[in-house]
């Protein structure tokens, strides 16, 4: 079964999201890829060896012009230097505003491609074809694009929406197990934020997700996308409730930045970030220990890390958190904290001592 969702924006624009298995077929693709435009496929070395040829066959068969750009695989390549390389390629090949970029990959490829699309000749179209669970449930839709800086994650970026998203679960068949598990962290995030019954569903069915059961994968991807569509359509530029989607990310981004975007996958850092956020809420007295333990127990059962890195001290966290995009003008750190399972709030005045206690408690 193929699910089709629609993200509508306030300026009467929007785009479809297709979710299912074997959705990259001629009947669907021909509606978006035609001879009238030039396309540039951007992917990484890993995805290129696995999926590029079968995808490129469609363009050859339909005589549609397609260029290819292949970058190295890894979060450390999500930087401004790679952006410049891509733009240089586009200029050398005389790509104009009629060119469409295609992001075939995970969050790194999607964010980088979207950012290039937003700035090249003041904006061109792009397509998201996410190949990881994390990007299918979260990163590929919503219009956030960007690259990392040595002082912080996603510090250089823009809001620029794709023209369409194709989430085909067949790509997950070649995804390494630890990357699949990393993606489940974002699924848990949505359940903690919005839906206790969904949280319970994950508790009961996470093994089916890990074992790539098509029905359960499609269900949870669709569920997460529906939540994100609702939030983004109401708050496109993160001026209000869209900030809730950053649960675990302020702490998690600090971990990723400290580790120089090596060793820790994004979902792994977010998992620990959610634990520290839950501990922060527990210290503030806005969530029960029972709920905190339930969150930690689920993450641990899934195979996600639940302990903060011992080598990071509070100064390490603060160095990155004070540069975070969510820092308020009065230097207070804004955090998204769970106040139960299925509900969370934005806290604008979390003091540094509370953060210190939460980090230390999360190391035990």
């Amino acid at each position: 079964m193929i699910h089709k969702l629609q993200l509508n924006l306030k300026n009467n624009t929007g785009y479809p999201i297709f979710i299912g298995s074997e959705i990259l077929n001629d009947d669907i693709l021909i509606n978006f890829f035609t001879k009238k435009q030039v396309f540039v496929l951007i992917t990484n070395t890993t995805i290129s060896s696995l999926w590029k040829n079968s995808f490129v066959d469609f363009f050859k068969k339909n005589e549609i012009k397609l260029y290819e750009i292949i970058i190295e695989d890894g979060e450390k390549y999500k930087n401004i230097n790679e952006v410049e390389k891509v733009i240089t390629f586009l200029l050398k090949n005389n790509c104009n505003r009629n060119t469409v970029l295609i992001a075939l990959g995970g969050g790194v490829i999607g964010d980088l491609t979207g950012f290039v699309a937003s700035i090249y000749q003041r904006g061109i179209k792009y397509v998201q074809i996410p190949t990881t669970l994390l990007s299918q449930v979260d990163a590929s839709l919503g219009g956030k694009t960007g690259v990392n800086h040595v002082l912080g994650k996603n510090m250089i970026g823009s809001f620029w929406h794709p023209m369409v998203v194709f989430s085909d679960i067949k790509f997950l068949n070649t995804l390494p197990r630890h990357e699949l598990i990393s993606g489940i962290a974002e699924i848990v995030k949505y359940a903690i934020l919005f839906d206790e019954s969904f949280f319970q569903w994950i508790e009961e069915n996470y093994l089916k997700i890990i074992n790539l059961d098509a029905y359960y994968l499609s269900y949870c991807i669709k569920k997460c996308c529906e939540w994100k569509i609702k939030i983004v359509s109401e708050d496109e530029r993160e001026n209000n409730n869209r900030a809730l989607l950053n649960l675990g990310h302020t702490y998690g981004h600090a971990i990723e930045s400290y580790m120089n975007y090596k060793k820790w996958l994004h979902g792994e850092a977010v998992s620990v970030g959610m634990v520290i956020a839950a501990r922060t809420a527990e210290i503030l007295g806005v969530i029960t220990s029972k709920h905190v333990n339930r969150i930690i127990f689920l993450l641990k059962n899934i195979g996600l890390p639940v302990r903060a890195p011992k080598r990071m001290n509070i100064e390490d966290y603060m160095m990155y958190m004070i540069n975070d995009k969510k820092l308020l003008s009065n230097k207070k750190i804004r955090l998204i904290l769970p106040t139960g399972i299925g509900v969370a709030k934005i806290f604008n005045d979390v003091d540094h001592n509370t953060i210190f206690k939460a980090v230390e408690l999360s190391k035990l």
Side-chain angles (χ1 to χ4, degrees), residues 9 12 56 77 88 105 110 122 134 143 151 160 171 193 212 230 238 254 266 280 292 299 304 306 315 326-327:
L9 302 170
N12 294 320
V56 168
Y77 296 102
T88 298
R122 295 192 174 92
L134 190 148
L151 294 179
W160 195 253
F171 291 123
L193 286 172
L212 300 176
K230 181 179 184 299
E238 201 173 298
H266 177 68
T280 305
V292 173
L299 294 170
L304 287 159
V306 295
E315 289 78 16
K326 297 170 282 297
L327 185 74

Side-chain angles (χ1 to χ4, degrees), residues 20-38:
S21 183
E22 301 294 339
I23 62 176
L24 295 175
N25 58 64
D26 289 10
D27 291 339
I28 293 178
L29 293 181
I30 203 66
N31 293 317
F32 298 93
F33 303 134
T34 69
K35 294 180 182 179
K36 296 179 181 179
Q37 295 170 301
V38 173

Side-chain angles (χ1 to χ4, degrees), residues 313-330:
N313 55 42
I314 188 61
E315 289 78 16
D316 296 323
Y317 282 92
M318 297 309 302
M319 180 175 69
Y320 295 104
M321 291 171 72
I322 61 174
N323 285 325
D324 191 88
K325 302 181 295 299
K326 297 170 282 297
L327 185 74
L328 300 175
S329 59
N330 60 2

Side-chain angles (χ1 to χ4, degrees), residues 153-247:
K153 186 175 171 74
N154 295 328
M155 284 294 137
I156 307 165
S158 60
F159 288 94
W160 195 253
H161 292 275
M163 57 183 280
V164 62
V165 179
F166 296 108
S167 287
D168 196 323
I169 63 174
K170 74 175 183 182
F171 291 123
L172 305 181
N173 292 327
T174 55
L175 192 66
R177 184 180 177 87
H178 70 288
E179 290 192 23
L180 181 73
I181 289 173
S182 172
I184 301 177
E186 291 283 357
I187 298 174
V188 174
K189 179 194 77 174
Y190 280 96
I192 294 172
L193 286 172
F194 304 121
D195 195 337
E196 184 174 8
S197 63
F198 185 41
F199 189 94
Q200 183 177 342
W201 182 90
I202 300 170
E203 288 176 315
E204 296 169 352
N205 296 294
Y206 67 87
L207 286 176
K208 293 184 175 68
I209 300 171
I210 295 173
N211 291 326
L212 300 176
D213 183 292
Y215 170 80
Y216 289 89
L217 276 172
S218 295
Y219 174 80
C220 65
I221 293 170
K222 178 174 178 286
K223 189 81 171 177
C224 293
C225 288
E226 286 172 340
W227 277 114
K228 187 156 190 179
I229 286 170
K230 181 179 184 299
I231 292 294
V232 172
S233 63
E234 295 172 352
D235 180 23
E236 181 185 354
R237 295 299 179 107
E238 201 173 298
N239 295 315
N240 199 345
N241 282 341
R242 184 170 179 175
L244 290 170
L245 300 180
N246 293 310
L247 173 65

Side-chain angles (χ1 to χ4, degrees), residues 15-18 23-24 29 32-33 41-42 55 100-115 117 125-132 135-136 138-146 160-168 171 228:
Y15 49 95
I17 299 103
F18 295 90
I23 62 176
L24 295 175
L29 293 181
F32 298 93
F33 303 134
L41 178 68
I42 302 177
F55 183 74
V100 179
L101 307 184
I102 303 171
L104 178 65
V108 171
I109 290 293
D111 283 3
L112 188 149
T113 302
F115 181 55
K125 294 179 180 180
Y126 77 109
V127 174
Q128 283 273 20
I129 306 180
T131 60
T132 66
S135 58
Q136 290 185 359
D138 187 75
S140 63
L141 64 152
K144 279 188 177 181
T145 78
W160 195 253
H161 292 275
M163 57 183 280
V164 62
V165 179
F166 296 108
S167 287
D168 196 323
F171 291 123
K228 187 156 190 179

Side-chain angles (χ1 to χ4, degrees), residues 231-290:
I231 292 294
V232 172
S233 63
E234 295 172 352
D235 180 23
E236 181 185 354
R237 295 299 179 107
E238 201 173 298
N239 295 315
N240 199 345
N241 282 341
R242 184 170 179 175
L244 290 170
L245 300 180
N246 293 310
L247 173 65
H249 284 62
T250 301
Y251 289 118
H253 284 173
I255 294 172
E256 288 184 275
S257 299
Y258 178 82
M259 297 296 180
N260 198 25
Y261 312 110
K262 300 175 182 177
K263 297 182 180 179
W264 284 67
L265 294 174
H266 177 68
E268 294 171 335
V270 168
S271 175
V272 172
M274 289 190 291
V275 171
I276 305 175
R279 291 296 190 194
T280 305
E282 185 180 26
I283 293 168
L284 293 174
V286 297
I287 192 173
T288 66
S289 297
K290 180 181 178 181

